């Protein structure tokens, strides 16, 4: 168990913090986008990447919150390079606007960290009339990644530096509907179970990363794609479950990771030289970990890719 701090093959454990795994790494010249950067592990990921010299673009739903986080980080890290841009992953229009604005800045893109997410809300639809967790946690990131791929490929080619895509998933990917991805019942409110729907979206994060990795290998592109479990962390993801959130926050003082520990695996997958060339893997506690049989299903990954393309294509 992580509370004993047993180190894995990487030399890190569940008790390692983001600062520890990134110590001594020079990220100068790299540019990263971090979604959901205004709170929780997204904020800590931003702070640690910036401390390594990475130019970080905070992609946030609330600009004011994002600007406050930026100000706080810059007070600590005077030379931090951070920009804040608006992104609502529950809206395809917002994702397209963000991608268009990013491209207009003519910035490179080395690291894409798909971190933002919602967890187990009551059944509701996104702005595009798709179940909110699947829309926000998977489809928004799927569309964002596709819109920025040409930029990442160009950056990797011109800089000769490997690009990295990191999808923040969860051990929740193991707790899903029987069929894994309910392609025909994405919007079925009558059989909706919030935890299974969350697991479905997190399974989709892994399948997305695995399919990206397969495609990059096939194309010979110097970009890797991996997914990860940050750990059990007391963050605001449980805001839709007031009583449960209170219990988790109380118990979590003794049994859960703190936010610096929770951001460690993200920073490891994004920056660490040990991960160079490693792709299509699932990480936990800053080590390669095992994933469910469903998440390793290559045909399911391809089917999800086609399904996601269809849902995110502009409708006439």
């Amino acid at each position: 168990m992580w509370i004993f701090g047993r180190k894995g093959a990487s030399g890190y454990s569940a008790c390692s913090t983001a600062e520890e795994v990134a110590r001594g790494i020079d990220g100068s010249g790299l540019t990263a986008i971090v979604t959901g950067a205004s709170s929780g592990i997204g904020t800590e990921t931003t702070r640690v990447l910036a401390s390594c010299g990475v130019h970080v673009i905070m992609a946030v739903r609330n600009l004011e919150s994002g600007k406050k986080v930026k100000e706080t980080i810059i007070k600590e890290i005077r030379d931090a390079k951070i920009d804040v841009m608006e992104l609502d992953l529950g809206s395809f229009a917002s994702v397209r606007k963000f991608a268009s604005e990013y491209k207009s800045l003519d910035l490179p893109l080395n690291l894409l960290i798909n971190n933002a997410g919602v967890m187990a809300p009551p059944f509701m639809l996104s702005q595009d009339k798709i179940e909110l967790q699947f829309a926000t946690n998977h489809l928004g990131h799927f569309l964002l990644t596709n819109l920025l791929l040409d930029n990442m490929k160009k950056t990797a080619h011109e800089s000769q530096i490997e690009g990295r895509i990191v999808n923040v998933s969860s051990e929740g990917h193991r707790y899903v509907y029987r069929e894994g991805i309910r392609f025909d019942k994405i919007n079925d409110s009558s059989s909706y179970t919030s935890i299974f729907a969350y697991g479905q979206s997190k399974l989709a994060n892994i399948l997305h990363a695995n399919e990206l990795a397969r495609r990059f290998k096939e194309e010979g592109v110097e970009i890797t794609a991996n997914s990860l479990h940050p750990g059990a962390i007391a963050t605001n993801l449980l805001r839709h479950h007031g009583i449960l959130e209170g219990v988790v926050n109380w118990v979590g003082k003794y049994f859960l990771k703190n936010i610096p520990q929770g951001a460690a695996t993200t920073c490891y997958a994004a920056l660490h030289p040990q991960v160079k060339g490693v792709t299509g893997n699932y990480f936990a506690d800053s080590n390669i970990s095992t994933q469910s049989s469903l998440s390793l299903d290559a045909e399911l990954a391809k089917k999800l890719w086609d399904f996601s393309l269809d849902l995110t294509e502009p409708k006439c």
Side-chain angles (χ1 to χ4, degrees), residues 158-265:
E158 293 181 351
S159 68
Q160 293 299 295
I161 298 173
E162 173 186 275
R164 297 186 185 182
I165 296 172
V166 179
N167 284 359
V168 178
S169 180
S170 166
E171 278 294 282
H173 83 275
R174 302 181 192 277
Y175 306 100
V176 295
Y177 299 108
R178 182 181 54 81
E179 58 270 54
I181 307 293
R182 305 203 310 171
F183 295 104
D184 299 326
K185 295 182 179 179
I186 287 296
N187 284 353
D188 186 0
S189 60
S190 65
S191 59
Y192 176 80
T193 302
S194 62
I195 294 299
F196 287 170
Y198 175 71
Q200 173 179 249
S201 71
K202 296 289 101 179
L203 172 61
N205 291 154
I206 301 177
L207 291 168
H208 177 216
N210 291 351
E211 178 63 9
L212 280 169
R214 186 191 70 79
R215 288 169 178 260
F216 292 151
K217 283 181 180 178
E218 198 173 77
E219 295 175 33
V221 176
E222 289 298 310
I223 301 174
T224 63
N226 292 293
S227 55
L228 63 90
H229 169 54
I233 311 159
T235 69
N236 65 356
L237 275 179
L238 285 169
R239 58 187 175 273
H240 296 288
H241 301 267
I243 295 175
L244 180 58
E245 181 181 31
V247 171
V248 167
N249 286 338
W250 179 70
V251 174
K253 290 185 292 185
Y254 308 99
F255 298 104
L256 302 184
K257 287 186 178 184
N258 58 37
I259 288 173
Q261 291 168 336
T265 306

Side-chain angles (χ1 to χ4, degrees), residues 24-85:
I25 295 175
D26 183 5
S28 301
L30 300 181
T31 303
I33 291 173
V34 180
T35 70
S38 61
S39 65
I41 63 173
T43 293
E44 180 66 0
T45 299
T46 297
R47 187 186 72 82
V48 171
L49 292 184
S51 74
C52 293
V54 178
H55 178 192
V56 183
I57 287 76
M58 299 174 61
V60 300
R61 190 170 56 178
N62 186 310
L63 278 176
E64 286 308 308
S65 296
K67 289 174 182 176
K68 287 178 182 177
V69 168
K70 173 185 173 180
E71 290 169 5
T72 300
I73 294 174
I74 288 177
K75 284 179 183 177
E76 176 192 346
I77 308 165
R78 296 292 181 180
D79 58 349
K81 292 179 65 179
I82 301 173
D83 289 300
V84 183
M85 293 177 64

Side-chain angles (χ1 to χ4, degrees), residues 95-137:
V95 174
R96 290 191 179 93
K97 181 172 181 287
F98 174 92
S100 176
E101 290 177 351
Y102 188 82
K103 291 174 187 176
S104 73
L105 297 174
D106 200 28
L107 288 171
L109 182 57
N110 305 92
L111 311 172
L112 176 58
I113 300 176
N114 292 320
N115 165 79
V118 294
M119 181 179 181
F123 181 82
M124 59 183 80
L125 298 177
S126 70
Q127 292 185 31
D128 302 283
K129 308 303 180 188
I130 300 167
E131 189 274 312
L132 187 65
Q133 294 189 88
F134 192 75
T136 302
N137 297 353

Side-chain angles (χ1 to χ4, degrees), residues 183 203 206-215 291-306:
F183 295 104
L203 172 61
I206 301 177
L207 291 168
H208 177 216
N210 291 351
E211 178 63 9
L212 280 169
R214 186 191 70 79
R215 288 169 178 260
Q291 50 190 291
S292 71
S293 57
L294 277 172
S295 68
L296 290 168
D297 188 331
E299 290 306 312
L300 183 62
K302 292 175 186 176
K303 185 175 180 181
L304 175 65
W305 183 279
D306 292 339

